[in-house]
Amino acid sequence: MTGLGGGAAAPGDYVYFKSVVPLHKISIGSKLWRYYDFGPKAVPPLICIPGIAGTADVYYKQIMSLSMKGYRVISIDVPQVWNHHEWIHSFEKFLDSMNIHHVHICGTSLGGFLAQIFAQYRPRRVKSLVLSNTFLETHKFAAAMPWSPLVSWTPSFLLKRYLLTGIRDGPHEPFIADSVDFVVGQVETLSREDLSSRLILNVNVASVGSLSLPDSFITIMDTNDYSAVPRQLKDQVNERYSSAKRAVLRTGGDFPFLSRPDEVNLYLQLHLRRVGVEPRPDLVQGFTRDGSSGSSNDHEDGNSFDDHPKDDGDRSSGSDGRKTEHSESGPPNSDGLVPTSIVLGKLFGGVWLTNAKGSR
C-alpha cells in the first residue's frame, strides 16, 4: 500500500470504521476539537492523545476493539494551542464540556508528554496513564530545531517535510510500512496552523515535574526496534516511573497502535482492568450514530446532531466563545443502530479472542 497522501485507497477496516463511528467537532471558545467517542457512556473513558504527526483517526483500531469489549474510548486531535499552560486549560474545558470528571489517558510521543503535563497540574482528574514512546522534557527537541521562532511563518509543505523526516525511512515489514503510510496520509490533512502549534509544543522548553499519581497506575508501552523518540529520552521515562508496569513490544516502530494493534489492545485492556475500570459488555448491543451504546440509559442530552457535513478536513476555530457541536458518520440502519455482530464479523472475526488466549 502506497502512502495515503499519494492517493492510495484507505485500509478496508478504516473505511468501515468511518462509516460506523462519527467524527465529532466541537468549538469551545476559540478552540476546535475533533474527536471520536465510542462505547458505553457509563464506563470511565480512556482518552487517547496522538503524537505530533497523528490525528484522532490513528487510534481507530483501539476504538473499535475496546468499545466492543465494553470500554469507552475517546480519541482526540490536539487543537491549536501554543504553549503547555494553554493546553492544560483547553483540555480541561474540553473535559468539562463532555461532563467528564476523571480520565484515564493513553498518550504517544508528544501526546504522552502532554498527558503527563496535564496529570502534573490537574492531578485529581487523571486516574491512570499509559505512556508510549514518549519523553519527560523537550530540551533535546528544542536544540535540534534552532529555527523554531520562524515556525509560524514557515510554509505548510516545509513543515510537513520537516515533520516527516522524523519518521524512519527505509524498508519496513508490511504492517509497519502500512502504519507509516496511514500516518503520512493523516499529516496531509493538517493545516499550517495545526503543524505550527504542534511543532511549537514539541520544542517549547519544558519538563514534567513530580506526579502525585502512583507508579502502580502507570503503564509504559514502548517498542524495542526504533522510534522517533531517542532511546535516552525513553529511558528517562522508565527511570522516573521505576515501579510502573512495563508493556514491551519487540517491534512496531513509531506507531504500534496501527502496526501491532492486537498487542496494544490487549495491554490497554489489562491496564484498565488493573486500575479498576470495569467494562460493560452488557451495554454493547449496538451503537447509535453519536457513538454511545444503544442500550445505555445515560445517553447525554445534546448528543444528537442536526448537522452532518462532509469530512472536508476543516480545522478552523470558532471564535464566538460558545460551545457548538456536530458529528459526521455513515448511514446507520433503520433504527439508528449498527449491530455489534456486524462490526465483529466485518472487522475482527475473533482475532482478539485468539490473541488474548495465547497471551501470557
Side-chain angles (χ1 to χ4, degrees):
M1 181 181 73
T2 57
L4 296 176
D13 59 345
Y14 176 64
V15 173
Y16 187 69
F17 164 82
K18 293 287 285 184
S19 73
V20 173
V21 183
L23 171 66
H24 301 289
K25 295 181 182 180
I26 177 174
S27 292
I28 305 175
S30 63
K31 306 303 178 188
L32 177 67
W33 288 83
R34 298 173 72 257
Y35 67 96
Y36 295 99
D37 181 3
F38 211 52
K41 295 289 177 67
V43 178
L46 173 69
I47 298 188
C48 299
I49 307 176
I52 192 171
T55 65
D57 298 65
V58 299
Y59 288 107
Y60 78 93
K61 293 178 182 286
Q62 285 66 55
I63 296 171
M64 293 303 289
S65 179
L66 294 180
S67 65
M68 288 186 290
K69 291 291 181 180
Y71 294 99
R72 180 184 181 186
V73 183
I74 300 174
S75 180
I76 67 171
D77 269 10
V78 177
Q80 293 173 20
V81 293
W82 303 94
N83 59 66
H84 301 121
H85 288 293
E86 188 180 8
W87 152 253
I88 294 167
H89 292 301
S90 184
F91 187 47
E92 186 167 42
K93 288 181 179 178
F94 171 74
L95 296 180
D96 290 341
S97 75
M98 301 275 287
N99 198 28
I100 296 172
H101 305 290
H102 303 117
V103 294
H104 304 266
I105 305 178
C106 173
T108 300
S109 189
L110 174 62
F113 179 76
L114 296 176
Q116 294 173 85
I117 290 289
F118 187 77
Q120 176 185 346
Y121 287 95
R122 298 294 185 270
R124 294 183 179 180
R125 303 198 76 155
V126 179
K127 294 304 180 183
S128 75
L129 292 172
V130 179
L131 305 173
S132 178
N133 291 338
T134 191
F135 45 89
L136 291 173
E137 48 90 11
T138 60
H139 298 78
K140 191 176 185 69
F141 301 114
M145 193 176 171
W147 55 278
S148 59
L150 303 177
V151 163
S152 298
W153 293 275
T154 304
S156 177
F157 78 94
L158 288 178
L159 295 177
K160 290 177 181 178
R161 182 181 300 176
Y162 178 81
L163 192 152
L164 293 175
T165 58
I167 301 176
R168 179 175 174 176
D169 196 12
H172 299 292
E173 63 173 272
F175 288 119
I176 295 179
D178 287 348
S179 73
V180 171
D181 287 344
F182 185 89
V183 172
V184 170
Q186 293 300 304
V187 170
E188 292 299 322
T189 69
L190 298 174
S191 69
R192 186 176 68 84
E193 291 74 18
D194 292 322
L195 296 164
S196 298
S197 66
R198 293 175 183 209
L199 286 168
I200 288 176
L201 286 176
N202 209 55
V203 301
N204 273 353
V205 176
S207 59
V208 177
S210 177
L211 302 187
S212 61
L213 189 69
D215 285 4
S216 58
F217 287 81
I218 299 174
T219 294
I220 299 174
M221 182 166 51
D222 288 342
T223 53
N224 264 356
D225 46 1
Y226 55 84
S227 74
V229 177
R231 170 58 62 182
Q232 177 187 1
L233 298 186
K234 294 199 290 186
D235 288 344
Q236 291 176 1
V237 176
N238 282 276
E239 292 169 6
R240 169 71 68 86
Y241 311 116
S242 57
S243 299
K245 293 293 182 180
R246 300 293 188 275
V248 179
L249 302 171
R250 187 172 61 85
T251 61
D254 284 297
F255 316 112
F257 40 86
L258 289 166
S259 62
R260 297 288 183 270
D262 292 339
E263 293 177 67
V264 170
N265 294 341
L266 180 58
Y267 281 134
L268 289 175
Q269 188 176 6
L270 292 173
H271 170 85
L272 292 171
R273 285 181 174 176
R274 182 167 55 83
V275 300
V277 178
E278 293 295 332
R280 294 293 303 272
D282 56 306
L283 298 182
V284 184
Q285 298 178 4
F287 294 101
T288 63
R289 70 175 62 200
D290 78 327
S292 63
S293 170
S295 61
S296 175
N297 293 324
D298 55 349
H299 177 76
E300 296 177 4
D301 292 337
N303 276 355
S304 68
F305 308 102
D306 298 322
D307 244 351
H308 298 280
K310 295 181 180 178
D311 188 4
D312 56 3
D314 177 21
R315 294 166 181 269
S316 59
S317 298
S319 58
D320 58 1
R322 294 178 299 168
K323 169 185 169 183
T324 59
E325 188 173 19
H326 59 272
S327 67
E328 304 160 7
S329 67
N333 65 19
S334 58
D335 294 325
L337 300 177
V338 180
T340 304
S341 58
I342 295 179
V343 180
L344 283 166
K346 289 192 175 183
L347 281 180
F348 297 101
V351 171
W352 169 272
L353 297 177
T354 302
N355 182 282
K357 188 175 181 180
S359 63
R360 291 181 296 171

